[in-house]
Amino acid sequence: MAETVHLSERTPQVTAEELLEGFHPSYRFGEVSFDTYIPDPAHPSQAQAVQRLRDFAASMGGTGGAGGAGGFLSGLFGGKKKSSRGSGAQPNGIYLDGGFGVGKTHLLASLWHAAPGPKAFGTFVEYTNLVGALSFRRTVDILKEYRLVCIDEFELDDPGDTVLMSRLMRELADAGVKLAATSNTLPGSLGEGRFAAVDFKREIQVLSEQFEVLKVDGEDYRHRGLAKAPEPLADHELMAVATQNFPEAQVISDDRFSDLTANLSRVHPSRYRELVKDIDVMVLHEVQTITEQAMALRFVVLADRLYDKDVPVVASGTAFDQLFTEEMMNGGYMKKYFRTVSRMTALVREGQTGETEGA
């Protein structure tokens, strides 16, 4: 029988070592490789990107095979790598530009697996949270010993965070660290699919000439728009549905939405991975529309961690396509909120029907 826990009562403590050990591709991309990426013959840029990334990994001494985590301890004791700057043979950074649904995260994770350690892989938000947890200088001092830093879903919707990340990347590049990034391509409107490379290069300013842009063309399967969220269940049947649909689950979290969000305001977002690390199924009672921007942004981080772990969600209350206010869904952070609604909808569908859908 599954153990029931309450996330609203947890206050996880995470060391610097534990934070950094989490900087690797998520469960969904834990075993991908260049070989498992199947290029579309109709879009030659996909095969070209694979080959270029293979070369980029090889320039660091990579073998093209799966790599270890290469985390904090190897960064400290593995010896500082030789700087590859000034060689002229390879750029310092790679930027994957393309619409969503073309496999940019798959390619970025494949590069991470193929490259030698020490190395880090995380989303833009995870790196900004890392700086918040450790301080900017300590983050630089640790990551500058790495050979490769991969930044998925680089976001330009917060000027302060963009300047922070541009500065971080500049200091890492000066230390000889190779960089690779994708952009957050969720559209400003559902009819748009590309996040222009020119915007990325403008915002990272002095680093722009060090990045080689790889175009990854392809069909954008999300142009359909957001899928409708499943109807919420009755509150009294949540636990029964969770245990029936997932009889092998060992740990089920059971919280009122208001209690969970209250706890999120007390726990630093860098600890959310630890908060949910052992959860197999999430049960949420009385979901409500979030009306405060600060809480909405914290829930975005939680949703990403749940999605990384593929945690099914069983919920009552408001449907997840109404999780954020209309003003939020049309405001400056709309890309984050569209992503969260899409991901939570997928997890709720899995939790309440047993069906799964793509990222």
Side-chain angles (χ1 to χ4, degrees), residues 46-89:
Q46 295 185 9
Q48 292 165 5
V50 170
Q51 186 56 54
R52 188 67 191 86
L53 288 169
R54 286 185 186 274
D55 294 343
F56 192 67
S59 75
M60 290 178 277
T63 62
F72 176 78
L73 296 179
S74 60
L76 287 181
F77 303 116
K80 183 168 172 48
K81 71 216 164 300
K82 296 179 181 178
S83 172
S84 57
R85 297 178 67 230
S87 67

Side-chain angles (χ1 to χ4, degrees), residues 168-331:
L168 176 65
M169 292 164 66
R170 183 175 69 249
E171 295 215 18
L172 296 180
D174 288 345
V177 180
K178 293 285 190 178
L179 305 169
T182 72
S183 66
N184 180 333
T185 54
L186 284 170
S189 63
L190 290 178
E192 299 172 1
R194 185 172 302 284
F195 195 74
V198 66
D199 294 334
F200 172 81
K201 298 191 79 170
R202 180 185 65 245
E203 294 299 333
I204 63 172
Q205 301 170 3
V206 298
L207 272 176
S208 61
E209 73 281 358
Q210 298 190 44
F211 271 82
E212 176 182 350
V213 175
L214 298 183
K215 297 288 283 285
V216 187
D217 297 306
E219 296 302 319
D220 179 2
Y221 68 87
R222 288 182 186 150
H223 274 168
R224 298 187 305 260
L226 290 174
K228 181 174 175 57
E231 289 297 319
L233 300 175
D235 201 71
H236 68 272
E237 58 185 345
L238 298 186
M239 190 58 72
V241 170
T243 55
Q244 177 180 331
N245 287 354
F246 303 95
E248 297 181 0
Q250 297 187 21
V251 181
I252 298 177
S253 66
D254 183 25
D255 293 273
R256 297 210 171 276
F257 187 78
S258 58
D259 294 337
L260 174 63
T261 54
N263 197 37
L264 293 183
S265 69
R266 297 187 290 265
V267 177
H268 192 277
S270 64
R271 301 176 183 177
Y272 290 0
R273 188 188 302 276
E274 184 73 12
L275 183 72
V276 302
K277 72 173 185 178
D278 60 341
I279 304 303
D280 297 313
V281 183
M282 170 180 275
V283 170
L284 274 181
H285 300 266
E286 301 175 0
V287 173
Q288 305 168 13
T289 298
I290 299 173
T291 58
E292 297 179 357
Q293 191 93 267
M295 179 51 62
L297 292 172
R298 284 177 175 263
F299 198 89
V300 165
V301 179
L302 177 68
D304 286 343
R305 301 292 79 77
L306 293 171
Y307 191 77
D308 287 347
K309 285 190 81 272
D310 193 18
V311 177
V313 175
V314 181
S316 66
T318 300
F320 275 93
D321 54 8
Q322 303 297 315
L323 182 61
F324 305 111
T325 66
E326 184 176 350
E327 181 181 7
M328 289 178 181
M329 294 297 286
N330 289 284

